[in-house]
Amino acid sequence: MARVISDECIACGTCQATCPVGAISEGDKYSIDPETCIDCGACEAACPAQAISAG
Ligand code: SF4
């Protein structure tokens, strides 16, 4: 199961640097590639907008 980024995303980019497998892509809202995510939770802990949750 991969984490997902909700509409609460403010596109700050904080999560992208925390991902150990490079699963997070930039955009108007950031997104997580479910094929790459290992569900470690690092990004969820780092998100200042609480936009990341278990998918
Ligand atoms: Fe990357 Fe871990 Fe977040 Fe998945 S849960 S996107 S592997 S930091």
Side-chain angles (χ1 to χ4, degrees), residues 3 15 18-21 23-24 32 36-44:
R3 301 283 159 142
C15 60
T18 69
C19 182
V21 295
I24 302 178
I32 296 173
T36 306
C37 176
I38 56 172
D39 205 23
C40 71
C43 55
E44 183 175 350

Side-chain angles (χ1 to χ4, degrees), residues 9-38:
C9 175
I10 56 172
C12 68
T14 304
C15 60
Q16 193 175 36
T18 69
C19 182
V21 295
I24 302 178
S25 307
E26 292 178 48
D28 291 340
K29 307 285 183 193
Y30 279 54
S31 61
I32 296 173
D33 176 3
E35 301 291 318
T36 306
C37 176
I38 56 172

